[in-house]
Amino acid sequence: MGASPKRAAGGAGSKKAPPAAQDAAEDCLGLYRTMVLIRHFEESMRRLAAAGETPGLVHLCSGQEATNVGVILALREGDYIASHHRGHGHCIAKGAPIDLLAAEILGKAPGICGGRSGSMHVVDLPRGNLGTNGIVGGGIPLAAGAALAARARGTGEIAVCFFGDGALNQGLLHECMNMAAIWSLPVVFVCENNGYGEFTAMEDVTAGESVQARGEVFGIPSVTVDGMNVRAVRAATLAAAQRARIGEGPSFIVCNTWRYGGHHAGDKQDYKDDEETKRWEAADPLITFAKTLVDEKRASRDELAAIEAEVVARVKAAVAFARAAPQPAIETLEAHVHG
Amino acid sequence: MAETITFRDGVLEALFEEMRADPSVILMGEDVGAAGGVFQQTKGLFEAFGARRVIDTPISESGAFGMAIGAAMAGMRPVFEVMFGDFMTLCMDQLVNQAAKVRYMSNGAATVPLVLRTTMGVGAGLGPQHSQGFHAWAAHVPGLKIVVPADAADAKVLMKAAIRDDDPVLFFEDRQLYAARAMARDADETLPLGRGRILRPGRDVTLVAIGRMVGVARAAAEALAREGIEAEIVDPRCLVPLDEALLLESVRRTHRALVMDAAPLRYGVTAEIAAMIGEKAFDWLDAPVARLGAVDTPAPISRSLEPLVCPTPEKVAAAVRAMM
Ligand SMILES: Cc1ncc(C[n+]2csc(CCOP(=O)(O)OP(=O)(O)O)c2C)c(N)n1
């Protein structure tokens, strides 16, 4: 199995994409720090899951940091996102405190949702996060609806919906793309195409040669970018966000990327091809961006190492906090069903 | 003499008043805009509030309803219309897995203040895919509130209450009631959801009825009165929250209860209410709680078969006689 035609336009395993230029507003160390934070957070969650400390299923996004960070750090405060089941990175990039996120994933009282929702159902509306989502494609209309609300208010916010390649085959996506197009909604559709839905290769269940064509049929400006390159993702998002803010409607960004850990924590990934895995790992978004920063003399190796050390300490503290945190009180079981 | 309004206009007046009072109230649905609704139930709203607030959606119930949820999370108060209740199935994932669960999942930090209004009702020859009422299904989902208004005046105040409520509210309108008139009530009147009413006092039996069954119960009560049986009619108005106190208070006085609904009997609303009465008022009962519902079939269109589907005043009266 090589790079499929549907994933050939960017990313590893394909013709090398031209390096994306730095934009004036880019906080390159901020991008790097957030990606490293997500990676270390996810690797900690992997260990906690292996130890049986995380209730339910945990889907990790190691490998997809550039799509999480490249998109979300191009947004403004007040903008909305809707995430999916592989959403810790989105939550972190949108500003969720990692100690409270870790507590939520462990089902503990100080968690963002009181420990009742866990990895797949983190709703963090105060930070504009409409939620990770246990239903594949479920967040797509939420983001489009938030965009509708923002437009009705005239307050200028935009909304981004993230979804995996699996959601490409949900009718909901096509319904929402159509409505976003006819109503020129300020929404950006972002497909994080990591090549697999659970244990099924994307190309085995997805017709047509081009993913981006699924936006184009609705007249939505659509691009495919190297989802391992944070700058490429950021540049595409800035262009899409700009269009959305000036009333030119939706955009579709296909980010070709890779999930290192498989479907859920503990997935043995026998269905993957070793050569393909090697190629993608060589394009690791953290390693490649670190090299870019050093080559461009924006940071020394030592400075990057210091950032990583600081992040490791933060994650360690967050995990310790979450593990020590109390379980939700029994009286909270039936709270907040209705107002 | 005070003015009377139709059920359809009661809901429409509520929409006018709430949209005028609160710019975050928007209406979404198929043909609700310039066309004024397939049942003329949104007439004039488009002209009054424009295309940004009265939004004609494509025939995409799932996506459009999901967008209403997202809009509600982001500060709007959408009223989303599903033309025929049967089409609610297309909204089911968004309704059950998103709207109903957001408040709980967010630990109370996010709410979904929207109304899903839909029509239902066997009896117009519309057949299996255009007649069903899913209020019992919906009532089974924690996080949703369910309103089944029985007359024009109630339709108006309950729609206003539903729009002002911070939770997802399902508002089931029986098309058979659309043209029925009732006395208009004070424009400012509001009513919290979950408060039932006693429509006819009586000492011998409590008839629990919602929506169109209220009229059926009234006709039965009149027939029974001629035989010396005084039936009390209680309309809970909302299935969730349910005015249990009012129902139990009535049953404790009458010692008998017949619970009825125009949707299929099996696992329906009547089962839940009858069980609640049995559990909480057993010692006051002189007879087992009785139930009447529609037959457990899809709705046929045939003029000879369709009238057999739902409980009639005759069936209600017969059921009461059997309890005495
Ligand atoms: C509606 C629905 N169907 C099936 C599932 C089970 N499921 C969870 S994740 C997943 C695969 C999703 O694949 P994709 O969208 O490509 O995202 P990825 O996991 O690859 O990041 C499936 C089938 C679900 N959660 N929701």
Side-chain angles (χ1 to χ4, degrees):
Chain A
M1 196 187 324
S4 90
K6 295 188 194 69
R7 285 161 50 76
S14 67
K15 219 168 59 229
K16 210 163 164 41
Q22 194 206 15
D23 66 88
E26 181 192 287
D27 165 16
C28 53
L29 294 187
L31 294 175
Y32 182 73
R33 181 179 293 109
T34 312
M35 291 202 292
V36 174
L37 178 60
I38 293 170
R39 174 70 55 89
H40 282 284
F41 185 88
E42 292 296 69
E43 293 312 309
S44 298
M45 291 305 122
R46 186 186 313 286
R47 288 189 289 274
L48 289 175
E53 292 193 40
T54 54
L57 292 170
V58 175
H59 307 87
L60 304 173
C61 66
S62 294
Q64 301 188 183
E65 295 87 351
T67 62
N68 300 170
V69 172
V71 171
I72 292 173
L73 268 55
L75 302 180
R76 295 184 189 158
E77 214 181 306
D79 288 341
Y80 294 95
I81 66 156
S83 170
H84 49 70
H85 58 285
R86 198 175 300 289
H88 302 166
H90 303 134
C91 296
I92 292 172
K94 200 76 177 87
I98 59 167
D99 49 352
L100 306 188
L101 181 62
E104 186 56 42
I105 294 165
L106 296 193
K108 299 294 190 72
I112 291 174
C113 307
R116 49 175 53 201
S117 298
S119 168
M120 270 197 287
H121 319 94
V122 182
V123 182
D124 192 15
L125 200 52
R127 291 179 194 83
N129 184 349
L130 297 159
T132 59
N133 214 303
I135 305 297
V136 169
I140 295 167
L142 302 184
L148 182 98
R151 200 198 50 172
R153 275 199 303 268
T155 41
E157 300 93 357
I158 69 168
V160 172
C161 54
F162 290 99
F163 51 91
D165 45 278
L168 289 168
N169 300 319
Q170 285 284 27
L172 209 48
L173 175 65
H174 304 272
E175 293 186 16
C176 290
M177 280 187 162
N178 180 56
M179 283 182 276
I182 57 173
W183 296 332
S184 283
L185 295 182
V187 58
V188 184
F189 297 95
V190 178
C191 177
E192 295 177 281
N193 180 359
N194 58 25
Y196 293 87
E198 288 187 354
F199 320 121
T200 300
M202 174 263 189
E203 56 261 44
D204 291 348
V205 290
T206 310
E209 285 304 299
S210 155
V211 170
Q212 97 183 38
R214 295 188 175 204
E216 286 162 350
V217 296
F218 297 104
I220 296 175
S222 305
V223 291
T224 304
V225 300
D226 176 358
M228 306 300 264
N229 180 334
V230 69
R231 274 190 184 157
V233 176
R234 180 178 158 81
T237 308
L238 286 172
Q242 169 68 2
R243 268 198 298 278
R245 284 190 217 284
I246 62 174
E248 289 187 0
S251 304
F252 181 29
I253 304 172
V254 183
C255 301
N256 288 333
T257 181
W258 192 246
R259 30 156 238 217
Y260 286 176
H263 178 54
H264 50 69
D267 177 2
K268 298 214 167 29
Q269 306 198 73
D270 297 335
Y271 51 89
K272 276 186 180 171
D273 174 286
D274 290 345
E275 284 306 306
E276 193 185 16
T277 299
K278 264 192 217 136
R279 274 201 304 277
W280 283 95
E281 284 180 0
D284 182 273
L286 276 57
I287 295 173
T288 54
F289 194 52
K291 181 170 181 318
T292 303
L293 293 178
V294 172
D295 288 351
E296 292 178 357
K297 302 207 181 338
R298 293 183 199 283
S300 66
R301 285 279 167 204
D302 286 349
E303 283 166 309
L304 298 182
I307 288 175
E308 183 154 11
E310 172 221 311
V311 161
V312 168
R314 276 179 64 195
V315 170
K316 209 170 152 199
V319 168
F321 169 84
R323 295 187 69 203
Q327 293 285 336
I330 284 163
E331 306 79 65
T332 64
L333 172 65
E334 292 181 69
H336 305 303
V337 176
H338 296 294
Chain B
M1 207 182 93
E3 206 191 332
T4 63
I5 55 168
T6 64
F7 187 108
R8 178 192 347 241
D9 289 343
V11 181
L12 187 53
E13 281 183 16
L15 287 169
F16 264 107
E17 289 171 20
E18 293 305 303
M19 289 186 80
R20 227 176 263 132
D22 181 353
S24 67
V25 179
I26 58 172
L27 178 70
M28 300 171 71
E30 292 159 19
D31 290 314
V32 298
V38 290
F39 311 111
Q40 294 298 292
Q41 75 285 23
T42 58
K43 210 175 161 160
L45 291 169
F46 182 82
E47 291 73 13
F49 301 106
R52 286 271 165 117
R53 293 183 64 196
V54 181
I55 302 168
D56 270 324
T57 69
I59 307 161
S60 303
E61 286 83 1
S62 176
F65 181 61
M67 285 176 61
I69 299 168
M73 290 177 76
M76 308 305 282
R77 289 187 176 271
V79 177
F80 186 87
E81 187 173 301
V82 176
M83 192 186 298
F84 286 86
D86 311 67
F87 311 161
M88 260 179 65
T89 52
L90 282 299
C91 306
M92 225 53 185
D93 170 59
Q94 292 293 311
L95 182 67
V96 172
N97 284 316
Q98 315 295 340
K101 293 176 183 169
V102 162
R103 187 191 274 273
Y104 192 86
M105 292 194 297
S106 69
N107 205 21
T111 56
V112 183
L114 65 73
V115 180
L116 186 159
R117 73 178 290 209
T118 192
T119 68
M120 63 178 184
V122 180
L126 288 162
Q129 295 173 338
H130 288 74
S131 303
Q132 199 160 358
F134 285 139
H135 43 291
W137 274 29
H140 192 65
V141 180
L144 303 177
K145 290 179 178 168
I146 316 296
V147 183
V148 189
D151 65 42
D154 255 24
K156 180 171 174 182
V157 285
L158 290 170
M159 177 53 91
K160 288 171 74 95
I163 292 171
R164 293 179 193 190
D165 197 278
D166 283 338
D167 284 310
V169 179
L170 274 60
F171 195 88
F172 289 91
E173 304 169 32
D174 195 317
R175 282 181 307 275
Q176 223 175 48
L177 300 175
Y178 258 26
R181 289 187 169 272
M183 217 61 101
R185 290 214 288 261
D186 186 345
D188 294 333
E189 188 185 342
T190 52
L191 184 76
L193 297 181
R195 195 164 299 168
R197 57 178 175 168
I198 295 179
L199 280 160
R200 181 189 196 280
R203 59 168 192 269
D204 297 321
V205 60
T206 297
L207 304 182
V208 182
I210 53 168
R212 74 157 66 170
M213 293 313 297
V214 167
V216 174
R218 267 189 207 281
E222 276 159 30
L224 290 165
R226 288 193 284 276
E227 300 163 23
I229 299 172
E230 289 301 331
E232 175 150 306
I233 302 175
V234 182
D235 170 13
R237 292 177 166 135
C238 299
L239 299 176
V240 183
L242 181 67
D243 193 343
E244 291 190 5
L246 182 73
L247 292 166
L248 293 171
E249 185 259 320
S250 173
V251 171
R252 285 179 189 135
R253 276 188 284 101
T254 64
H255 309 293
R256 290 181 180 82
L258 168 64
V259 190
M260 59 194 88
D261 187 22
L265 185 70
R266 198 166 53 213
Y267 295 99
V269 166
T270 58
E272 175 65 22
I273 295 177
M276 187 277 292
I277 294 171
E279 285 164 1
K280 298 188 179 172
F282 183 77
D283 291 343
W284 281 269
L285 289 173
D286 286 345
V289 180
R291 305 191 293 138
L292 276 177
V295 293
D296 293 308
T297 67
I301 60 110
S302 149
R303 296 218 161 108
S304 67
L305 298 179
E306 195 186 27
L308 306 176
V309 173
C310 294
T312 57
E314 295 70 36
K315 284 186 191 156
V316 173
V320 169
R321 281 183 210 110
M323 295 170 76
M324 299 311 289

